[in-house]
Amino acid sequence: MIDFELTDEQRLIRETARDFADGEIVPRARENDRNEHFDTELVQKIADMGFLGAIVPEEYGGRGVDYRTYALIVEEIGRGCSAMRTVVSVVTSLVCSSIVRWGSEEQKQEWLPQLCSGEALGCFGLTEPDTGSDAANLKTRAKQVDGKWRIRGGKMWISLGNFSKLALVFAQTDPEKKHKGLACFLVPTDQPGFTTQEIHHKLGLKGSDTAELSLDDVEGDMMGEVGDGFKIAMSALDSGRYSVAAGCVGICQGSLEASVAYSKDRTQFDRPIGSFQLVQEMIADMVVQTEAARGLVWRAGWLKDQGKPSTTETSIAKLYATEAAVKCADLGIQVHGGSGYVDDYPVERYLRDARVTTLYEGTSQIQKLIIGRAYTGLNALVP
Ligand SMILES: Cc1cc2nc3c(=O)[nH]c(=O)nc-3n(C[C@H](O)[C@H](O)[C@H](O)COP(=O)(O)OP(=O)(O)OC[C@H]3O[C@@H](n4cnc5c(N)ncnc54)[C@H](O)[C@@H]3O)c2cc1C
């Protein structure tokens, strides 16, 4: 039986995360967005709170919290600023959870404490210029030279790529083996041949760093074995999609709270606009989508905490919550009228930031194909 009742500890962590978001993240979100500033000082504060690597076991420097608690933290950070939520999702879910699950003891000891403390940031290099949704079809190549793996290729759209000390890089060791030749490498970024270029002019997530990576014969430390690459990527995305979904619940909640406050404050026709039925309809639509998204995220988290399969439920949560975030932010602008179209209120940033969430970590179409595959037993994702 799924139990949605929060424990006292979960309530406390949620309140702490909420206070932190309101005190530290919200006041900086607009300026960072305006200036396209990746706020590393704020990232360090997030790390100091223990919010990076929260699900990592304590012996490796994490907080060792369960997935439900993780969602509470990520929701609050997502309500504050999706650029910062992206940092948490990438470092915690894509990078740390992969190392926890697939890394050797030595790799865990080397990287996890640094990543949890904010001493090092990590990025996740799967997407390439010619390879997006078809993630098994990587062009980046890895070959062994004198017993060491050398990697050549390029990665595209990599969050935190310009600031990371560690890159998780997925590469093909033998094209003839197709996905069975894929491998995952831990690549320190401070070596010759590793270069990055910042990607500018994004629609949203302007306070997040996004990079193109170029790897010219760089050395990589393989995590797992040859043939594990695709499984590692998919398990990382299972945690990453959950985190994105939780962050989107934060966008829904933030849009709702801003809209309720504005609708009670703004008067037209000598009445608060919140008293008009059509405005209440928009608020009600936001409430329903926010609650539904949160419920789906908590269900996926509960399954993860029970150690039960959760890939389909995670895709359902990701699909619903990301689409709901776009809709709630859009409704939020509608409630705010013209004022919603400028950044005096957070709703226009919410919409711009929400828009990427239906694209990254698997587009909405890919989530539908994962869900369809689970229910039909037919795989649309193989040629
Ligand atoms: C800001 C930002 C940050 C990102 N951060 C990272 C990161 O940190 N690490 C990383 O590895 N990647 C990252 N990405 C990349 C992101 O995951 C990809 O953009 C995404 O997976 C889609 O790939 P694509 O852009 O190549 O689109 P494509 O795969 O070319 O898709 C284009 C369209 O075709 C549709 N489509 C494709 N195949 C099918 C199919 N079989 N059936 C139906 N429709 C299909 C898609 O749904 C989409 O609508 C980021 C992207 C952005 C924009």
Side-chain angles (χ1 to χ4, degrees):
M1 272 286 282
I2 301 179
D3 181 4
F4 277 179
E5 192 69 26
L6 298 181
T7 64
D8 288 346
E9 193 190 353
Q10 285 172 328
R11 278 179 214 283
L12 186 66
I13 292 177
R14 178 165 70 175
E15 268 168 43
T16 307
R18 190 170 179 86
D19 289 348
F20 175 79
D22 286 335
E24 299 286 351
I25 300 179
V26 172
R28 299 182 187 217
R30 184 175 68 174
E31 285 311 302
N32 286 338
D33 178 74
R34 278 186 181 176
N35 299 325
E36 299 198 6
H37 174 57
F38 181 59
D39 192 340
T40 50
E41 200 184 309
L42 186 52
V43 172
Q44 189 56 58
K45 287 183 184 219
I46 291 172
D48 291 344
M49 292 296 293
F51 295 158
L52 283 185
I55 44 176
V56 172
E58 285 173 292
E59 58 186 301
Y60 299 115
R63 290 274 295 270
V65 303
D66 58 21
Y67 265 89
R68 285 274 305 286
T69 309
Y70 177 47
L72 302 174
I73 295 169
V74 176
E75 176 183 332
E76 292 304 337
I77 294 175
R79 183 179 58 80
C81 171
S82 290
M84 288 299 118
R85 195 275 308 151
T86 296
V87 176
V88 175
S89 298
V90 170
V91 173
T92 309
S93 281
L94 294 180
V95 180
C96 287
S97 72
S98 301
I99 299 174
V100 169
R101 174 141 181 218
W102 298 90
S104 66
E105 190 53 35
E106 203 184 335
Q107 289 167 334
K108 289 181 194 176
Q109 299 278 1
E110 181 177 2
W111 290 109
L112 291 173
Q114 297 189 61
L115 292 163
C116 293
S117 69
E119 188 188 333
L121 289 180
C123 65
F124 180 80
L126 181 64
T127 309
E128 301 178 351
D130 294 331
T131 303
S133 301
D134 186 12
N137 193 17
L138 298 178
K139 304 281 182 292
T140 298
R141 295 282 176 265
K143 63 175 181 178
Q144 264 187 318
V145 181
D146 300 330
K148 295 201 163 140
W149 286 98
R150 315 288 308 188
I151 306 163
R152 248 179 216 278
K155 297 287 172 181
M156 190 67 188
W157 307 115
I158 307 305
S159 302
L160 323 185
N162 296 295
F163 289 83
S164 289
K165 202 168 159 186
L166 171 71
L168 233 67
V169 174
F170 295 85
Q172 178 58 264
T173 61
D174 181 353
E176 285 188 2
K177 286 193 184 158
K178 303 212 166 136
H179 72 274
K180 288 187 179 146
L182 293 176
C184 175
F185 298 88
L186 295 164
V187 176
T189 60
D190 60 352
Q191 48 177 321
F194 189 99
T195 48
T196 68
Q197 207 173 350
E198 190 175 347
I199 296 175
H200 292 284
H201 313 307
K202 290 175 294 193
L203 172 68
L205 276 195
K206 287 176 181 282
S208 170
D209 174 61
T210 314
E212 189 171 352
L213 313 183
S214 173
L215 299 97
D216 184 11
D217 221 16
V218 301
E219 198 178 312
D221 180 18
M222 191 183 287
M223 192 161 72
E225 295 171 7
V226 170
D228 284 342
F230 195 67
K231 283 183 268 178
I232 296 175
M234 291 307 114
S235 78
L237 289 171
D238 226 18
S239 179
R241 287 169 183 161
Y242 177 76
S243 188
V244 171
C248 283
V249 176
I251 295 180
C252 294
Q253 181 69 33
S255 302
L256 172 63
E257 287 176 15
S259 300
V260 168
Y262 188 83
S263 74
K264 294 208 282 198
D265 194 45
R266 172 78 174 167
T267 57
Q268 288 294 286
F269 303 95
D270 295 325
R271 290 162 63 182
I273 59 164
S275 67
F276 299 125
Q277 288 167 341
L278 291 178
V279 173
Q280 287 198 8
E281 183 194 38
M282 291 192 276
I283 302 276
D285 284 346
M286 293 162 81
V287 171
V288 171
Q289 291 183 67
T290 305
E291 295 285 329
R294 187 178 288 118
L296 289 171
V297 169
W298 285 16
R299 176 179 70 160
W302 181 84
L303 288 169
K304 289 179 196 302
D305 289 333
Q306 304 292 312
K308 297 188 172 171
S310 62
T311 297
T312 310
E313 290 76 8
T314 302
S315 280
I316 293 170
K318 201 264 181 184
L319 173 64
Y320 188 84
T322 56
E323 297 285 349
V326 174
K327 287 183 198 144
C328 287
D330 192 39
L331 283 170
I333 293 177
Q334 199 64 22
V335 170
H336 283 71
S339 299
Y341 200 65
V342 290
D343 68 5
D344 294 348
Y345 295 92
V347 283
E348 63 84 42
R349 176 169 48 83
Y350 282 145
L351 181 63
R352 289 184 289 105
D353 286 352
R355 195 60 193 80
V356 74
T357 65
T358 69
L359 300 174
Y360 66 16
E361 307 217 15
T363 63
S364 289
Q365 287 72 33
I366 294 302
Q367 305 312 321
K368 285 179 184 171
L369 296 182
I370 293 170
I371 298 162
R373 180 181 64 194
Y375 279 77
T376 63
L378 303 172
N379 191 351
L381 292 168
V382 287

